């Protein structure tokens, strides 16, 4: 039986922002119902203990996210949530004190990625207020700035990040500049249970992208898998359109799906350091793991 370090469960395909780095989904707007969520948990319980409520969409748009956390706790799961942070004040009472909640990831690059963003300090203040209280309750907090430019970064790009980092430095009384300490792709601890992670912006894989030689490795179906809001199982959290449709848990059990012919072909391919799926051959993220 395949086991995974983490499983992504998309609880809504809808987002309240339109960020430049995140292509909109062409899938039907949807939100998971509690009974469907419980069905997923029952099907994956022998495959993982850690779930991430994210693929596409903004998870805090789910009106019953507190009930989803309670259901996860009842079945023995620990939960990570990745959010743009804009709805954190509205949802703080649904998150704080929930024993299932292990980690909150805040995509701070969403502020600059969304054209309508206006007040950086207010945006960060609401997130920081929540983060401090959650960390005191044992929740891990990760602030993400995944918007570093590999080349041709403009002065405006640099200035925007510096404004965010300066607010964090002041809030946590840091005696150093974060940008002097952090290394792209890894995080640094800025307070108890609170971290910041900077990384280069990545491109979501697309069938319209150029294809490479297909050499390389990926952790898809090895350490992770994902389930979209309609029950479609995909090999990783970057297949936001369900291109590599391995099956649907509403028709076939999750255990059967991840041991199916297409799933095993993908898994065995990466064992040989070979991408057998077209989408995988067009995914730049795979190149991070070398050949």
């Amino acid at each position: 039986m395949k086991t995974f370090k983490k499983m992504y469960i998309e609880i809504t395909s809808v987002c309240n922002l339109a960020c430049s780095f995140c292509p909109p989904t062409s899938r039907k707007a949807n939100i998971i119902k509690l009974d469907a969520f419980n069905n997923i948990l029952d099907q994956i319980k022998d495959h993982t203990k850690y779930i991430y409520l994210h693929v596409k969409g903004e998870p805090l748009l789910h009106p019953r996210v507190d009930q989803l956390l309670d259901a996860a706790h009842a079945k023995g799961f620990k939960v990570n949530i990745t959010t743009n942070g804009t709805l954190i004040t509205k949802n703080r009472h649904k998150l704080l004190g929930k024993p299932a909640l292990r980690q909150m990831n805040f995509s701070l690059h969403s502020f600059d990625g969304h054209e309508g963003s206006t007040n950086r300090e207010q945006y960060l203040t609401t997130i920081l207020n929540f983060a401090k209280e959650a960390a005191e309750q044992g929740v891990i907090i990760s602030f993400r700035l995944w918007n570093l430019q590999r080349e041709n970064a403009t002065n405006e790009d640099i200035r925007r990040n510096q404004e965010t980092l300066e607010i964090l430095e002041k809030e946590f009384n840091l005696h150093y500049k974060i940008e002097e300490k952090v290394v792209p792709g890894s995080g640094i601890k800025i307070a108890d249970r609170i971290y910041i992670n900077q990384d280069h912006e990545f491109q979501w894989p697309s069938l319209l992208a150029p294809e490479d030689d297909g050499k390389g490795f990926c952790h898809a179906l090895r350490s992770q898998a994902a389930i979209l809001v309609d029950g479609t199982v995909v090999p990783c959290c970057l297949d936001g359109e369900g291109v590599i449709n391995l099956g649907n848990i509403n028709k076939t059990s999750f255990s059967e799906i991840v041991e199916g012919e297409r799933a095993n072909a993908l898994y065995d391919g990466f064992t040989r350091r070979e991408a057998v799926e077209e989408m995988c051959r067009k995914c730049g993220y795979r190149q991070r793991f070398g050949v």
Side-chain angles (χ1 to χ4, degrees):
M1 177 179 291
K2 288 189 176 77
T3 58
F4 306 98
K5 291 182 179 178
K6 53 190 174 184
M7 280 283 306
Y8 292 86
I9 303 175
E10 182 185 69
I11 60 174
T12 178
S13 58
V14 181
C15 190
N16 62 323
L17 299 184
C19 295
S20 59
F21 55 81
C22 187
T25 179
S26 60
R27 293 181 287 121
K28 178 182 177 181
N30 203 348
I31 190 166
I32 202 167
K33 291 183 170 60
L34 183 59
D35 58 349
F37 185 73
N38 272 305
N39 176 46
I40 290 174
L41 297 184
D42 287 338
Q43 292 201 40
I44 68 173
K45 63 184 179 181
D46 294 327
H47 296 271
T48 192
K49 292 301 178 186
Y50 296 92
I51 57 177
Y52 286 59
L53 303 186
H54 184 62
V55 177
K56 284 291 189 71
E58 167 51 52
L60 296 190
L61 277 173
H62 198 294
R64 296 180 176 83
V65 66
D66 51 342
Q67 294 180 27
L68 301 185
L69 287 169
D70 289 340
H73 176 64
K75 296 180 185 296
F77 291 93
K78 288 296 184 180
V79 179
N80 291 24
I81 295 177
T82 298
T83 173
N84 59 43
T86 57
L87 304 174
I88 196 64
T89 299
K90 180 180 179 180
N91 286 278
R92 77 184 284 131
H93 68 287
K94 296 181 180 181
L95 302 169
L96 292 173
K98 292 298 184 184
L101 187 59
R102 172 185 176 270
Q103 181 167 328
M104 291 287 296
N105 304 315
F106 290 95
S107 298
L108 301 186
H109 46 276
S110 300
F111 182 86
D112 292 315
H114 179 66
E115 190 174 331
S117 300
T118 55
N119 191 326
R120 186 187 308 274
E121 189 164 356
Q122 181 180 12
Y123 166 73
L124 289 173
T125 296
T126 57
I127 290 174
L128 289 168
N129 287 340
F130 171 87
K132 287 184 174 181
E133 187 168 355
E136 289 178 358
Q137 296 182 4
V139 178
I140 299 168
I141 302 295
S142 174
F143 297 133
R144 295 177 171 182
L145 277 173
W146 288 5
N147 61 355
L148 296 180
Q149 303 298 315
R150 294 186 184 277
E151 55 186 22
N152 301 325
T154 66
N155 290 333
E156 181 68 9
D157 292 330
I158 296 171
R159 182 190 65 78
R160 287 171 174 174
N161 269 2
Q162 286 178 338
E163 287 182 4
T164 294
L165 295 176
E166 285 172 3
I167 291 173
L168 293 176
E169 288 160 2
K170 181 179 180 181
E171 185 69 26
F172 293 101
N173 298 313
L174 302 183
H175 60 277
Y176 56 85
K177 293 288 186 182
I178 292 174
E179 60 186 345
E180 295 174 358
K181 296 275 190 178
V182 71
V183 175
S186 63
I188 61 169
K189 185 176 182 178
I190 59 175
D192 189 28
R193 298 188 184 90
I194 300 179
Y195 302 82
I196 184 164
N197 181 291
Q198 283 195 273
D199 209 340
H200 295 103
E201 181 177 338
F202 70 89
Q203 296 292 321
W204 282 80
S206 167
L207 291 177
L208 300 177
E211 188 171 321
D212 61 25
D213 62 6
K215 300 298 182 182
F217 179 77
C218 182
H219 292 281
L221 291 181
R222 203 167 297 265
S223 66
Q224 65 165 284
I227 303 173
L228 303 183
V229 68
D230 67 351
T232 299
V233 178
V234 293
C236 76
C237 62
L238 294 184
D239 189 359
E241 293 303 290
V243 172
I244 308 176
N245 184 341
L246 302 176
N248 192 294
I249 59 161
N250 297 316
K251 300 176 181 178
T252 309
S253 74
F254 179 80
S255 297
E256 289 180 76
I257 290 172
V258 295
E259 293 294 353
E261 183 178 351
R262 190 173 186 181
N264 281 331
L266 184 148
Y267 182 98
D268 293 341
F270 281 127
T271 299
R272 303 189 305 269
R273 301 300 192 266
E274 175 187 347
V276 300
E277 291 280 350
E278 179 185 2
M279 174 70 84
C280 298
R281 293 193 296 271
K282 296 182 175 183
C283 179
Y285 203 84
R286 168 176 53 84
Q287 296 168 359
R288 297 187 178 200
F289 306 112
V291 295

